[in-house]
Amino acid sequence: MRRLTRVLFLVLLLSALALAVAPPPDESARLMDARTPLPFEPAEELVYEGEFSRALLRGLNVAELRFTAELTPSSQAGPETKQKSEAAPSRLIFKAEAISKGLLQKLFNVNFRQHIESTVEPDSFNVLQTTKLDQQGSRLRTSEAIFDRQEGKVVWTERDPKNPAREPRVVTSELKGSVQDIMSAIYFLRTQTLTPGKTFDLAVSDSGKVYTVPVRVVEKKRLKTVLGQVQTVRVDPSIFGEGRPLAGRGSMSIWFTDDARHIPVRAHINNELGTMDIKLKKATIGKLEKLG
């Protein structure tokens, strides 16, 4: 059951978050040369529902996922910065929370909660720091990843708050080029051009390791969503297999709105444990517009 919980959670999280794309040089330069508003600025909240199916178990509502994105402007600098008459740099703050619910809890007594926060430099879209709280039943872990591009490494440290005397786990990996975490990845992908037939190499860091994953943009399709009937584009990242974030056999597809916002509206995952469907059920854009 613990393995089921871990895979279910990772699938839920990755399906909604996708993976980071290492862009071609011309696209990277475009992001850095001209600071234009990003699709999720100044603020955005997306709420998803996850349904699990296996054999006779069909469409079990098992989890809710909530994602927020917000640009923290330099005007929000602290007192010390203001006294020095120096503007604090803007930061993109991405947050995600996933909690178990519904029949997953009732039938299997499975409870999990994970909260992730990612801090990103908006001009280069480089991730600076990732913090995570991971609770599965009575098990609790906290972790922090620091991305040091001057040293060319990411250092991930995990601790057990219930046992402070326990030695923390530390994993260090080399950083090369554009590497995201699983939180910042989906937002970075949303800034890119998604054209059917296009393929990418993905670089994503999780738990101190850096993975390279192929992804392809498959097709356009019109879907019924909480946003209405919308044109979408399907993206298939290969996250299963040896040397990938998830071991074993499986497949995954994500549908983004085919517009300037590239909102992820649906994801489907199929692996040895069953299938998972994740759908957008509510969107709040700019703290004003509520959909769903």
Side-chain angles (χ1 to χ4, degrees):
M1 185 54 63
R2 182 168 180 176
R3 181 170 178 268
L4 171 62
T5 305
R6 172 174 168 74
V7 175
L8 277 178
F9 180 76
L10 287 173
V11 165
L12 280 168
L13 189 61
L14 287 170
S15 66
L17 297 178
L19 294 168
V21 175
D26 57 333
E27 294 192 42
S28 179
R30 175 180 60 79
L31 272 175
M32 298 177 66
D33 291 344
R35 177 70 174 97
T36 57
L38 296 168
F40 33 82
E41 289 184 28
E44 176 190 79
E45 181 181 63
L46 303 174
V47 182
Y48 297 84
E49 239 175 22
E51 292 186 348
F52 176 73
S53 297
R54 182 180 182 181
L56 298 178
L57 300 176
R58 297 290 177 181
L60 299 181
N61 186 3
V62 295
E64 179 180 275
L65 299 97
R66 186 177 300 267
F67 303 99
T68 61
E70 188 166 7
L71 178 70
T72 303
S74 57
S75 60
Q76 292 187 11
E80 294 183 2
T81 303
K82 291 180 180 179
Q83 288 176 1
K84 295 178 182 178
S85 300
E86 297 177 356
S90 298
R91 293 287 184 259
L92 284 166
I93 307 296
F94 302 130
K95 297 179 183 179
E97 183 158 285
I99 58 172
S100 56
K101 61 182 296 186
L103 289 177
L104 184 66
Q105 294 174 311
K106 293 179 180 178
L107 293 180
F108 303 108
N109 194 29
V110 172
N111 292 278
F112 64 75
R113 171 177 174 258
Q114 190 168 83
H115 181 89
I116 301 176
E117 185 167 329
S118 179
T119 303
V120 172
E121 199 285 315
D123 291 335
S124 64
F125 224 96
N126 283 330
V127 61
L128 305 173
Q129 182 181 13
T130 310
T131 60
K132 183 187 299 184
L133 181 148
D134 184 0
Q135 185 173 3
Q136 296 183 35
S138 61
R139 181 184 182 274
L140 179 64
R141 297 290 185 271
T142 61
S143 63
E144 179 184 56
I146 301 296
F147 295 79
D148 189 336
R149 283 176 172 77
Q150 288 187 340
E151 295 290 331
K153 64 182 180 180
V154 53
V155 180
W156 175 80
T157 305
E158 183 188 66
R159 294 180 170 86
D160 181 358
K162 294 185 176 182
N163 185 6
R166 182 176 181 177
E167 193 74 16
R169 290 178 60 202
V170 179
V171 178
T172 301
S173 295
E174 185 180 9
L175 284 181
K176 288 184 178 180
S178 178
V179 177
Q180 303 292 316
D181 64 10
I182 58 175
M183 187 66 235
S184 66
I186 183 62
Y187 295 99
F188 182 77
L189 180 58
R190 289 173 61 185
T191 69
Q192 304 302 296
T193 302
L194 300 177
T195 305
K198 197 172 185 178
T199 60
F200 301 94
D201 280 334
L202 310 182
V204 58
S205 177
D206 183 38
S207 299
K209 297 181 179 180
V210 178
Y211 301 94
T212 299
V213 180
V215 68
R216 61 192 181 104
V217 185
V218 181
E219 63 179 358
K220 292 186 179 184
K221 184 177 182 180
R222 197 161 185 83
L223 292 179
K224 182 179 180 180
T225 73
V226 71
L227 307 178
Q229 289 279 350
V230 296
Q231 186 75 3
T232 66
V233 58
R234 173 183 154 195
V235 177
D236 288 3
S238 299
I239 64 170
F240 291 93
E242 186 177 354
R244 305 284 170 80
L246 292 176
R249 299 177 61 183
S251 62
M252 171 178 165
S253 297
I254 308 157
W255 287 263
F256 296 86
T257 56
D258 188 25
D259 57 17
R261 286 193 176 274
H262 282 163
I263 297 174
V265 293
R266 183 186 173 192
H268 178 81
I269 304 95
N270 184 19
N271 78 337
E272 57 188 2
L273 294 176
T275 62
M276 182 72 67
D277 283 291
I278 299 174
K279 296 180 181 179
L280 179 69
K281 71 174 186 178
K282 185 172 68 173
T284 303
I285 300 170
K287 295 184 178 179
L288 295 175
E289 181 182 1
K290 291 188 177 181
L291 305 170

